[in-house]
Structures are given as structure tokens and as C-alpha cells.
Amino acid sequence: MGPGSGSAFLPASPRVSSGSRQALCLWLPTFELRLELVRSPALDSTSLALLSSGESTRRTIWQVSERAHEAGVRPGQLVSQAVSLCPSLTLLEPDPAHYDAAVESMLELLSEITPILEPAGRGRVFLGMDGLGRLFGSPERQAKKTLHSLFRIFPAPLVAATRAGFAPGKFGAWVAAASARSGEPVVVGDSDLARFLAGCPVSALPVDPLIVQRLERLGVQTLGELRRFPEPSLISQFGDEGRSALAWATGRRIDPVRPWHRPEPIRVSLDFPNPVGITETLHGALDRLIERALSRPTRQGRSVTGARMGAQLEGGGSWFVQTVLREPTAQRERIASPLRMKMAIAPPPKAVDTLIVEFTQFGAASAQTGLFDRRDESGRAAAGRELTRGEVPPSLRDAVKELKLRLGHSPLYRVVEVDPWSRIPERRHALLSFDP
Amino acid sequence: MSDTPWLRPLGQPKLVVVRTVENGGPTHVRLPGKPARTVEALRESWRIDDEWWRQPISREYHIVVLDDGRNLTLYHDLLDGTWYAQRG
């Protein structure tokens, strides 16, 4: 079965209390490769493979076309192995910006059908369909209408290759989609779910692949065969995943579709007059872009917890690295440093035409630094200008005045260096009373 | 309160009670108002001898790991034999 990543079935954030029990899963296998074929139809008659992104040396195959598959080329093979198996193989660099744009437009379109959307990777999305019967009719009609709506953004071959499954819960919908034929949705009702799941292979379970391998070695091929085992023996063999596997196999566990929340990213870009391949130039440009993104009004009052750095490459194609920051921050260096490190590990494969920085996740503004901000937040006294070194911001001056009125003295102190290189620790720093 | 700003050193040493082995290494430490803790490991030791021309300073520093997992910097004042804990 396809790319059954388990993450889609992990429990959602406890903050999200509601979800949709009835789920529609749309799945487009080898989504990225099909997008490349749509972009360059001439490649359809060739043996085609998409390279994995990431490693700069020892590149591997990510996705393969049917012709390449027939020649023995498989995902995960080294390029040298693949070319020796299929000398006429056409290799393509991945273009993540193009794929992400296609996903964005698909999600935007599907949000017209239901507000409850939960993407699970690029080629797979779950739609919450609770309460849509009176609008669109039976589950079959709902699934067909959803598939049909894709014609507005995708060409016919892409829509025709999309599989759809409608069932209670995400697991049921995913298994239904995986067993569906292109363009013909599989609909499973509440009463049929257990019977439908019984015939499905254990490889559909979103559990550790090693568990699936062990089950298959033990002769357990289908979910129906798995059900014969008592729960305690599955738990003793596979731990908590054994319990989850049984709950999915029997249809007892129904994972609702949770509405997906993604804040509007802040995106800034820089076009180079000539393609750039020098790392230092890219680092300088990265710093300038982060500064620009941080100064955007939409960023004010929020810190950054996730960022992406990307590029449009010379001669087509794109490249991306992303990072999740350990702590929310609004400091340029703290954002730039992990991105530079990722770039060192997986540098752009070609010279860069346009460099892009995106802030994708946000945290709360830091309240701790507010008092000592060197900008006047009210904008009345200093009108937002940078204060010179040693100048005390009016917000801080007012706060100290108020504390002195209440306590009779200023309880604020400043840490000053006295003899920072002294061998005697108590000589290095001191507290100085702060009373502007 | 006077208008003159005043300076208070940071990292002032605190008097502690230390039990040692024969060679002088700490084995137990009792911080003021706390129960005694066993020293699980001695991470680093060094010695400072300074300012002999005015008020001589002679200290033997140890960074120890206590049985509750905490790291603590101790020093033995070699002039009067007392032990102190200090933030470095």
C-alpha cells in the first residue's frame, strides 16, 4: 500500500476538541512525479524518476514512473544502480516550491466543500464530511462531487489518478482510498466498516513497519486474521502499538478529522541580478531577508518558532530547507543560524536566482523583554525611533517612577561588569542600583 | 535611601559545612538550612593564589556533583580552613 505514514493517525492536539467522524480521504500516489508529467507531457513516454532532495552526494531515487518500475528501478535505489538497470532513465531534480503551490491551491479549493481539512503529506488529504449529506446528498455523491471539483485546478489525467475513500474515521477512509480504483470512490458505512477492514492487508496499519513485518512472518496477512488474537497477547508482543493495531483492525478506533490550522506565513524574497552560488553571498542575503521579515507589521507581537529558506534555481527547479526553532525568538541570528546549518548539510544544487525566507510558525511575544525594549511602544515620545546607547526608554522610566512611589526606592538593578576576567569570581560582576 | 548608586558584588561565597577524606577532597556538603548531601563525583579542581602583596587569597576550588544531580562549585580557603559554595 502507498506511503502510509503513521503521523496522520497520531492523536491530535488536546486543544482541538471537535472533529468530523465521517472522513473522506483523497489520495494521489506519486503526486510530485505526476505534477512533473503534467508540466512536461513529453516525459510521459520516457522512463522517469524523481531524485530525492537532501543529500548532496550519493543521491537516491524518490519516485519512479511505471515504465521505470517495469525496468526494475525502485524508490531508495542509488542513482548509479537505477541507471545501470535502466540506461534510458530520465532523472529530474525535485521542485518543492511547485509541489507546495499545487497543494495550496488544492486545499483552497477543497475548503469550499468543507472547512475541516487535514492534509497528511503532499498527496493525501482528509476531509471532514459530517453534516454535508443535506447539501450534497449521499456519501457517493459527496465523494464524486469532491473529485469533480478538482477539475477546476488539475488536468484530467491528474484527477483521474486520484483515489477517494469515504468511511468513519481517518483509518477507514485511508484504507478505502488505497483500495479504490482511480476515479471510483469506495464508500464504507458504519455497519460495514468491520467487515470491510477484515479483508485489508496488515500493511495498511499505521504502525511501525517492523511490527507489520513480524506479523507477516507469523502468517498474519489481513486485519481479519489479526483480530483473532486476544488483546493481551498483542500488547505483550508489540506494546501499546499492538493495542492500537487491534483497535483499528476491529473498527473500534475511529480517528476524527481535525480541522487543520496553519497561520498565514510571512514571506520575503530577493531576486539576484545574476545567479549566485557563493555561500557567503547567500548568507548575507539570508540575514537581510530575515531582518525584512521580522520588521513586517504582521510579525509584530509574535515571535517565530518555524522558518523556511528556499530558492528558485538557475534554469528552473527549486530548493528548500526548514527548521523548527528550539525557543520562540525574534532575533535574526537565532533564526539564521539553524537555517545556515541546514544549508551546509543540503546546499542548493544549482546557482540561486531568487532567495526566499518564510516564517511558517509563530509563538507568543516575549513579555519579559517588553519593559526593556529600546523602542517606545506608545510611539508618542520617541515615535518608534531607535534609542541611543544609554538612553532610557520612557516606558521603563515611567515604571521605575511608579515603583518608587509605592516602595520608596527603585527595586531595579543593572548587572555591570567590574573585572570580567578576574580569577576571583565575586570580583567579576556586580549589581548597580538602577534609578534613571 | 541615598541618591548615590551602590554596587553589590554578584557571586558572593556562602559558608558551607563540608566533610572531607584524608587527602582533602569533599565527600559530604551541607548548605545553610539544607540537609547534608553526598558528593557523587568530583568533576574538576584548581587552585588560586593571588594578591599576596595586600590581602592574600589562597583557595582550592572543586566542581562537584551532588547525589541530587546538582553541580556545585565549592572552595576551600587554605588560609583559614573554611569551606564556601560559590556561583562562578
Side-chain angles (χ1 to χ4, degrees):
Chain A
M1 196 168 289
S5 77
S7 59
F9 300 96
L10 292 176
S13 156
R15 285 181 291 122
V16 182
S17 57
S18 62
S20 172
R21 193 172 185 278
Q22 293 299 331
L24 171 64
C25 176
L26 295 185
W27 179 42
L28 194 53
T30 58
F31 179 69
E32 292 84 353
L33 188 82
R34 286 173 197 275
L35 284 178
E36 292 290 354
L37 288 173
V38 167
R39 187 153 63 170
S40 316
L43 292 173
D44 206 9
S45 56
T46 63
S47 298
L48 186 66
L50 208 52
L51 289 167
S52 61
S53 53
E55 320 96 293
S56 50
T57 55
R58 293 179 70 83
R59 302 291 298 271
T60 53
I61 302 294
W62 180 27
Q63 294 180 0
V64 296
S65 67
E66 277 178 33
R67 281 172 190 270
H69 192 271
E70 282 166 15
V73 182
R74 298 283 182 273
Q77 279 176 347
L78 288 172
V79 170
S80 51
Q81 285 175 312
V83 172
S84 63
L85 285 164
C86 179
S88 62
L89 187 68
T90 305
L91 293 166
L92 283 181
E93 285 284 350
D95 186 354
H98 177 59
Y99 313 144
D100 287 346
V103 172
E104 285 291 320
S105 57
M106 182 167 80
L107 292 175
E108 200 171 312
L109 176 88
L110 294 175
S111 67
E112 292 174 14
I113 292 174
T114 171
I116 302 174
L117 288 176
E118 190 179 330
R122 279 207 192 101
R124 191 168 58 155
V125 60
F126 292 100
L127 294 86
M129 305 303 277
D130 277 356
L132 295 183
R134 293 181 69 179
L135 264 177
F136 303 129
S138 66
E140 286 86 355
R141 288 176 64 102
Q142 291 174 40
K144 283 193 170 161
K145 180 178 173 56
T146 308
L147 275 178
H148 200 259
S149 71
L150 293 178
F151 278 114
R152 281 163 52 194
I153 51 164
F154 290 147
L158 215 56
V159 180
T162 306
R163 304 181 189 186
F166 193 111
K170 285 188 288 186
F171 177 63
W174 155 239
V175 176
S179 63
R181 282 192 289 178
S182 300
E184 290 179 28
V186 168
V187 175
V188 183
D190 276 272
S191 54
D192 299 329
L193 183 63
R195 195 154 22 100
F196 168 74
L197 291 174
C200 296
V202 284
S203 58
L205 286 168
V207 292
D208 188 336
L210 288 175
I211 293 181
V212 174
Q213 272 181 25
R214 279 182 66 198
L215 285 169
E216 286 172 343
R217 267 194 230 128
L218 290 166
V220 182
Q221 301 296 331
T222 65
L223 298 181
E225 287 165 357
L226 181 71
R227 277 188 220 164
R228 293 195 205 121
F229 292 94
E231 191 177 37
S233 56
L234 286 173
I235 293 170
S236 68
Q237 280 292 317
F238 307 114
D240 210 33
E241 287 209 283
R243 186 204 307 269
S244 300
L246 188 64
W248 275 312
T250 51
R252 284 202 319 264
R253 177 167 169 175
I254 303 290
D255 300 288
V257 185
R258 305 283 189 190
W260 174 64
H261 170 70
R262 199 190 69 155
E264 186 76 18
I266 294 176
R267 185 185 166 101
V268 288
S269 61
L270 180 67
D271 293 323
F272 295 110
N274 296 307
V276 171
I278 302 165
T279 309
E280 286 71 27
T281 313
L282 293 175
H283 284 177
L286 172 68
D287 287 346
R288 297 289 86 72
L289 284 174
I290 292 175
E291 278 168 9
R292 261 171 59 195
L294 284 171
S295 65
R296 283 281 177 89
T298 46
R299 207 278 308 165
Q300 300 301 316
R302 294 189 291 177
S303 54
V304 180
T305 57
R308 272 180 16 133
M309 173 191 188
Q312 299 289 350
L313 302 172
E314 183 188 20
S318 61
W319 162 89
F320 269 105
V321 288
Q322 61 183 0
T323 184
V324 175
L325 303 170
R326 275 190 204 161
E327 288 176 8
T329 185
Q331 291 177 22
R332 184 195 75 192
E333 194 48 37
R334 287 199 179 178
I335 301 169
S337 174
L339 287 173
R340 280 201 290 261
M341 221 179 302
K342 297 258 177 176
M343 185 179 155
I345 296 166
K350 289 189 270 184
V352 171
D353 271 337
T354 304
L355 194 69
I356 302 155
V357 166
E358 261 185 25
F359 295 162
T360 51
Q361 292 171 41
F362 301 91
S366 166
Q368 189 66 40
T369 55
L371 188 61
F372 293 94
D373 274 353
R374 300 193 63 79
R375 278 177 190 277
D376 177 29
E377 282 187 7
S378 69
R380 280 176 298 187
R385 69 181 165 80
E386 282 289 327
L387 297 166
T388 55
R389 190 172 169 77
E391 198 177 345
V392 179
S395 54
L396 183 54
R397 194 187 298 276
D398 291 347
V400 172
K401 201 189 287 179
E402 198 173 316
L403 286 166
K404 275 178 76 176
L405 277 174
R406 281 192 191 179
L407 305 171
H409 66 276
S410 165
L412 295 186
Y413 304 91
R414 190 198 295 268
V415 176
V416 291
E417 285 183 347
V418 179
D419 184 4
W421 308 113
S422 171
R423 298 169 71 206
I424 321 293
E426 64 266 32
R427 305 265 172 89
R428 293 175 193 155
H429 296 93
L431 285 178
L432 180 68
S433 60
F434 181 71
D435 190 359
Chain B
M1 183 178 246
S2 152
D3 282 345
T4 314
W6 53 268
L7 222 52
R8 193 176 80 187
L10 280 172
Q12 286 281 59
K14 280 184 189 163
L15 200 64
V16 290
V17 179
V18 172
R19 184 183 291 170
T20 60
V21 287
E22 268 183 23
N23 64 7
T27 57
H28 294 81
V29 182
R30 195 170 74 218
L31 294 162
K34 302 275 171 63
R37 290 276 174 201
T38 309
V39 172
E40 291 283 331
L42 184 62
R43 288 184 55 200
E44 205 179 340
S45 297
W46 68 96
R47 183 170 165 156
I48 294 176
D49 288 289
D50 211 345
E51 303 191 4
W52 52 268
W53 62 94
R54 46 177 191 189
Q55 183 92 35
I57 288 174
S58 182
R59 297 175 179 176
E60 194 168 60
Y61 274 87
H62 304 277
I63 297 182
V64 297
V65 184
L66 302 181
D67 57 358
D68 61 355
R70 249 185 321 159
N71 282 2
L72 187 68
T73 305
L74 296 170
Y75 76 78
H76 186 202
D77 190 324
L78 299 174
L79 298 174
D80 64 7
T82 47
W83 282 84
Y84 296 88
Q86 187 170 39
R87 287 190 178 182

